[in-house]
Amino acid sequence: MINVGIIGATGYAGEQLVWILNNHSKVNIEFISSYNYSNERYSEIYNNYYSFFQQICIDTEEALNKLELIDVLFIALPHSKSFEITRKALQLGVKVIDLGADFRLNSEEEYETWYGAQHGYPEVLKDAVYGLTEVKREEIKKSSLIANPGCYPTASILGLAPLLKNSLIDDRSIIIDAKSGVSGAGRAATIGNIFSECNESIKAYSVGKHRHTPEIEQELGKVSGKDIILSFTPHLVPMNRGILATCYSRLKNKITKEDVLELYRNFYRNEYFIKIIDVLPETRWVKGSNLCHIGIEVDSRTDRVIVVSAIDNLIKGAAGQAVQNMNVMFGIEETKGLDFVAMFP
Amino acid sequence: MINVGIIGATGYAGEQLVWILNNHSKVNIEFISSYNYSNERYSEIYNNYYSFFQQICIDTEEALNKLELIDVLFIALPHSKSFEITRKALQLGVKVIDLGADFRLNSEEEYETWYGAQHGYPEVLKDAVYGLTEVKREEIKKSSLIANPGCYPTASILGLAPLLKNSLIDDRSIIIDAKSGVSGAGRAATIGNIFSECNESIKAYSVGKHRHTPEIEQELGKVSGKDIILSFTPHLVPMNRGILATCYSRLKNKITKEDVLELYRNFYRNEYFIKIIDVLPETRWVKGSNLCHIGIEVDSRTDRVIVVSAIDNLIKGAAGQAVQNMNVMFGIEETKGLDFVAMFP
Amino acid sequence: MINVGIIGATGYAGEQLVWILNNHSKVNIEFISSYNYSNERYSEIYNNYYSFFQQICIDTEEALNKLELIDVLFIALPHSKSFEITRKALQLGVKVIDLGADFRLNSEEEYETWYGAQHGYPEVLKDAVYGLTEVKREEIKKSSLIANPGCYPTASILGLAPLLKNSLIDDRSIIIDAKSGVSGAGRAATIGNIFSECNESIKAYSVGKHRHTPEIEQELGKVSGKDIILSFTPHLVPMNRGILATCYSRLKNKITKEDVLELYRNFYRNEYFIKIIDVLPETRWVKGSNLCHIGIEVDSRTDRVIVVSAIDNLIKGAAGQAVQNMNVMFGIEETKGLDFVAMFP
Amino acid sequence: MINVGIIGATGYAGEQLVWILNNHSKVNIEFISSYNYSNERYSEIYNNYYSFFQQICIDTEEALNKLELIDVLFIALPHSKSFEITRKALQLGVKVIDLGADFRLNSEEEYETWYGAQHGYPEVLKDAVYGLTEVKREEIKKSSLIANPGCYPTASILGLAPLLKNSLIDDRSIIIDAKSGVSGAGRAATIGNIFSECNESIKAYSVGKHRHTPEIEQELGKVSGKDIILSFTPHLVPMNRGILATCYSRLKNKITKEDVLELYRNFYRNEYFIKIIDVLPETRWVKGSNLCHIGIEVDSRTDRVIVVSAIDNLIKGAAGQAVQNMNVMFGIEETKGLDFVAMFP
């Protein structure tokens, strides 16, 4: 049994962690903590847990006092909140899977540039592993600190890695136009998150400056062996869950769609959660699953390849991938607790 | 291993059967059939099954030729389509769970009145068991033909049965105002089902004449020991899944909310899937689960008790309850394959 | 030209006032005020006004200093906020149309019971007119203080008034089951209003204790000449706009649907905004209009009449009716500025 | 008074024509026709017209017999259906505004390539004017045949024209990633259009081969004076109305966002319906209006300019622009009947 603690259990990513881990046959949830709901019963915050999960949220301080009871700590907090918690956990030999942004960028300076905040624990950055399981599995096995990828980067990197690994595209030509459901904005009581403000509308936001950009560039850079600079544009779509990333790039040489598909199938041939499909992905077919669907078109008129990838932002894009990483870290079956088909409709 | 066949596997109820049964550790899906998609690969109709379920839809005739291979047949067809199929299955000793309406009403005349069609297999009506598991468990155990309840009746009867069983309410005072997501209208390509026609609107329909009315009256009549005549009004709500039934009735005598809650908790004390909650139900807390949440208010100003019940129309209101009945019929754990917490958000 | 001021212009009801009044050929908007957005440009809060409406929100104090410039003041604030503002306006001879709840109940005690707050200006209650235009037109013409009806009461009273006026129903048998879009909850940044918390769900709330109940009972009581006590249950539906009220009551005597329809058509024969339709209403057909659609079913099995009424909660249920009342008060054409067909889809 | 006829009045674009023209003070709707609903009362198909519009749909043959009664014919039919109707109208001296695709492409061959159908009236292509009003106003004034632009091309061309006119961008670098509400798919009873199939999902479709592509390339080619080949990808978003086009291209030289904004403001300085806004557009702010909102970002990291444009697909993207063109053709005020602020929420 793996004993786990969850800090930030009442946000949407935290809630998905509880959903998955509470049903995971090798896991015991030792504690859950919350900043806004400490001392409240979890099943009264999220009524779907009524009679299924009896724990009460503790506060962060209590959580830190219980670190000795656990093997791994999941942290699902806004950026800049994980530094001290991670330090304490690691010092006690507790593994950490951070769903936030604090350890994703290898460079302290990059962090400070994009997040506008000082990095509070830079000495550990060299040991942190970017937890995109399919790309970093071997490193994850040996790591004590996983920086779980952002939701957009998960869809984007999985979609583009095979092209860059095989040097098929002009590395200055990449444009990622991504679309997310509103749960991606978190469980924050803001005017912008109100139903009537999001429903019946779509918008782009943070154009040219979204904080997931450097994360995508960093990891695709490693895959390609070159510096990657790309355009990333997120959009907000009136649905609860799902990310669709439409990824454009210029082909260096002529290649058919079939050959690109073959290359993708080969690249991901051992990956349970990545499905290269013959048609174009739709987020409904991955909703509620840890899967990533990838579809391809080659447009010979423009010499572009268009890769479309779809994930559930809260599962493969957050909690599911975090558990996948935990499974890898602890040497248990990678699909344990995550082997569910998308729920449709 | 229970070998099952599914006729009508490509409608929404059929799809949920596949979703649940494909993941059920004691079940082997022997065949799936479809009127509109025979010879098509299921995972190309519903892409969420890509690589998870490889079967191809057969047509009804082929399905009937395979009845000897199975232990139980699930039928998910429009009304009046199950008579002959059921006859053949029962003759071969195959148990039948019909998710349609053909065997729900005990009276051939009632069927013909409400459905405007002749009943094609009336001789079996006395043996058919109305499959509301919590109410008919003992009969279900011994039955070969289950008439799986309608989605609205499931929510309505579960909500009102304790009041009638305990003679707390005036039996002429019952009004059920029910609201359903659009998946309840089935996977039918009609103008009325188009996104833009359903979205951003709510309507009542079939007021005073919905075909689920006699089914509710029949079963509540059995619970109460008296003829029940009630008002039932369904509404269409712009969401995929969920039914909320708001049930009004007049109390015969003063009673507190706490006492009614206590009585409900007692009535359902051994029921895993029925949760009497302290607050009012919302469909999001049962979406994707086989649960029924029930909440209560007593309004002393009007001497009315208002019971609100919530289910997922496709699971507890259709496929989930069908599998629950199968579990009961075959003597396996009732929650097998159905033990999941609602997925939120 | 009627010079108007709007206090509370940045809530949804206030925004609809701006939308209507800015396009009203007999109106000049002299000022708009806001608690949360004072000194902000309106078109930066609501971008649809970009280049169409150039005003900047002032604060309440400034607004009060400008009362002398206007003929009528619209107030769209939460309850208990209108007392002092109304006092000042009336003292200066400025007419007031209050879209909030402060002057709707004739009795100070009722107000304090239902709102849990002291009434701050009870001496004016006898002069305030409940602004349901179709019912109170003659009084509105002569009034200086209009208490604009709540959204639910507008749909409910319009739906039930003809039955009660004609003594057709048992006045203890009334149940109103109402459903509203999320804009009815206001532009408040709360967890409950977040898109992902409202979308894909429906719930009942404030069962037996919603504050619109006494307002409905008071006004239907006047129509019927008897005290009315009824059940009113509001529900939250995942759509932006619209209210559907499904109103149940027991008929005293047999009557056909056609006769009830005839009676309704006669009752509202001179009313431009009330449409008695042959089919059942759907909110989409009134969305964006000042109309109320009413449909009827008589259920002879249960001796009940079911009246379904549909409005746009922000227009006929708030700002549209307020402008309709203004038109009546100032002796201009009642439909001025309000004569638009619903926008579909 | 302009006498108009509408062929194809019961699709969504046709319905919007009725909505706008019925309220247009200079227009008399002489007839409406429908293939699927001939002899049916319009207000029974679209209940929002109850008591506001009393006409009955005629069939196409009847419509053609009434051409002499009208000044202009609006045609809102699927492609390849307008050839003969247009021929008859033009021969009788009736002006034609075709909302379909039949006269948008200047080249018969291009039409046959992209639409897979023979062009039935090629001799008139040289006279047909592509009715993007802001770009072709002078030609529209003198034309008898307007090919009203597609919804996606309207947003795309308006967004990109100023960049190309000023030779600011690499003309091989253009990528348009567009997102549309479901009404764009038309009022067709298909499985793909069902609420539960569209809701809670987003998808790309027709990647690299959507029929609006040549239309965009043709018109941007004229603006730039060079052949344009670009990538255009449409997406389906779960909302009723709205198109957002996110347009990427590579800047030839360094330029600031402020300079690009200034250039856009200058380009559209006399255009009532085009608004260059300081923030990024959202479709909610143009919903229900004939406006196009355009926002700009310059990303110096990638040397790209990203233009985002938003329209209501049924108004500026279809019926509104058609009426705008009619106004221009008949020399009346261009904004007549179209001067409304977006309805929010």
Side-chain angles (χ1 to χ4, degrees), chain A residues 3-4 28 30-31 65-72 94:
Chain A
N3 290 306
V4 312
N28 167 51
E30 187 64 34
F31 64 80
N65 287 332
K66 291 185 176 229
L67 289 176
E68 294 183 17
L69 302 173
I70 61 174
D71 301 300
V72 58
V94 174

Side-chain angles (χ1 to χ4, degrees), chain C residues 106-143:
Chain C
N106 303 147
S107 149
E108 183 182 355
E109 291 71 31
E110 281 279 289
Y111 182 85
E112 297 180 4
T113 300
W114 286 87
Y115 288 87
Q118 211 182 333
H119 199 289
Y121 194 17
E123 56 270 36
V124 82
L125 286 178
K126 67 181 188 313
D127 299 320
V129 173
Y130 190 80
L132 190 66
T133 331
E134 286 76 11
V135 175
K136 301 290 180 91
R137 188 174 290 110
E138 294 311 310
E139 296 173 60
I140 292 165
K141 284 180 185 169
K142 295 171 285 188
S143 178

Side-chain angles (χ1 to χ4, degrees), chain B residues 8-164:
Chain B
T10 54
Y12 289 143
E15 190 273 336
Q16 286 295 296
L17 282 171
V18 173
W19 193 70
I20 294 167
L21 292 171
N22 188 43
N23 207 38
H24 189 297
S25 62
K26 298 283 178 70
V27 165
N28 167 50
I29 300 179
E30 188 63 35
F31 64 80
I32 55 171
S33 85
S34 169
Y35 281 82
N36 297 320
Y37 298 93
S38 63
N39 297 318
E40 292 191 37
R41 186 173 292 277
Y42 200 70
S43 63
E44 292 177 2
I45 305 164
Y46 289 111
N47 273 281
N48 47 334
Y49 293 98
Y50 181 86
S51 94
F52 285 103
F53 183 72
Q54 307 297 350
Q55 294 193 28
I56 287 167
C57 297
I58 60 176
D59 65 25
T60 312
E61 199 170 349
E62 287 177 272
L64 295 178
N65 287 332
K66 291 185 175 228
L67 290 177
E68 294 183 17
L69 302 173
I70 61 173
D71 301 302
V72 60
L73 182 68
F74 291 89
I75 310 175
L77 295 177
H79 75 83
S80 298
K81 303 284 188 190
S82 300
F83 303 133
E84 290 314 306
I85 296 165
T86 300
R87 190 190 306 270
K88 283 185 182 132
L90 292 180
Q91 283 169 352
L92 288 166
V94 174
K95 293 178 197 291
V96 172
I97 300 174
D98 182 27
L99 284 78
D102 289 356
F103 304 104
R104 291 181 193 153
L105 299 182
N106 303 145
S107 150
E108 184 182 354
E109 292 70 33
E110 281 278 289
Y111 181 85
E112 296 181 6
T113 300
W114 286 87
Y115 287 88
Q118 210 182 333
H119 198 288
Y121 193 19
E123 57 271 36
V124 81
L125 286 178
K126 67 183 187 313
D127 299 321
V129 173
Y130 189 80
L132 190 66
T133 330
E134 285 76 12
V135 175
K136 301 290 181 89
R137 188 174 288 111
E138 294 309 311
E139 295 173 59
I140 292 165
K141 284 180 184 170
K142 295 171 285 186
S143 177
S144 294
L145 173 54
I146 301 297
N148 213 56
C151 50
Y152 287 123
T154 298
S156 303
I157 300 167
L158 290 173
L160 287 165
L163 290 178
L164 284 163

Side-chain angles (χ1 to χ4, degrees), chain B residues 114 170 172-179 192 196-209 213-214 217 228-233 235 237-244 246 248-250 257 280-285 287 297 299 301-302 304 306 308 344-345, chain C residues 114 170 172-179 192 196-209 213-214 217 228-233 235 237-244 246 248-250 257 280-285 287 297 299 301-302 304 306 308 344-345:
Chain B
W114 286 87
D170 169 0
R172 279 295 172 277
S173 70
I174 302 170
I175 290 173
I176 302 165
D177 190 285
K179 299 91 179 169
S196 305
E197 307 277 326
C198 299
N199 191 38
E200 291 297 293
S201 193
I202 180 170
K203 68 171 176 182
Y205 64 100
S206 301
V207 176
K209 43 187 173 275
T213 311
E217 291 179 344
I228 296 290
I229 295 177
L230 52 75
S231 289
F232 168 69
T233 309
H235 295 75
V237 177
M239 59 186 191
N240 283 1
R241 289 166 173 255
I243 283 181
L244 193 83
T246 312
Y248 302 86
S249 60
R250 181 90 66 181
K257 172 181 171 179
L280 290 168
E282 311 183 25
T283 59
R284 59 178 168 153
W285 303 127
K287 187 179 59 170
E297 290 291 345
D299 183 7
R301 290 178 65 253
T302 60
R304 289 200 181 94
I306 296 104
V308 184
F344 174 82
Chain C
W114 286 87
D170 170 0
R172 280 294 172 276
S173 71
I174 302 170
I175 290 173
I176 302 165
D177 189 286
K179 297 90 178 168
S196 304
E197 308 279 324
C198 299
N199 191 38
E200 291 297 290
S201 193
I202 180 170
K203 67 172 177 182
Y205 64 100
S206 302
V207 176
K209 42 186 173 275
T213 310
E217 291 180 344
I228 297 289
I229 295 176
L230 51 75
S231 289
F232 167 69
T233 309
H235 296 74
V237 177
M239 57 187 193
N240 282 2
R241 286 166 174 258
I243 282 180
L244 192 83
T246 311
Y248 302 87
S249 59
R250 182 89 66 179
K257 173 180 170 178
L280 290 169
E282 310 184 26
T283 59
R284 59 178 168 153
W285 302 127
K287 187 180 56 171
E297 290 292 345
D299 183 7
R301 291 176 64 254
T302 59
R304 289 201 180 92
I306 297 101
V308 184
F344 174 83

Side-chain angles (χ1 to χ4, degrees), chain A residues 177 197 217 248 284 301, chain D residues 177 197 217 248 284 301:
Chain A
D177 189 286
E197 307 279 324
E217 292 179 343
Y248 303 86
R284 58 177 169 153
R301 290 177 65 253
Chain D
D177 189 285
E197 307 279 324
E217 291 179 345
Y248 303 86
R284 59 178 168 152
R301 291 178 64 252

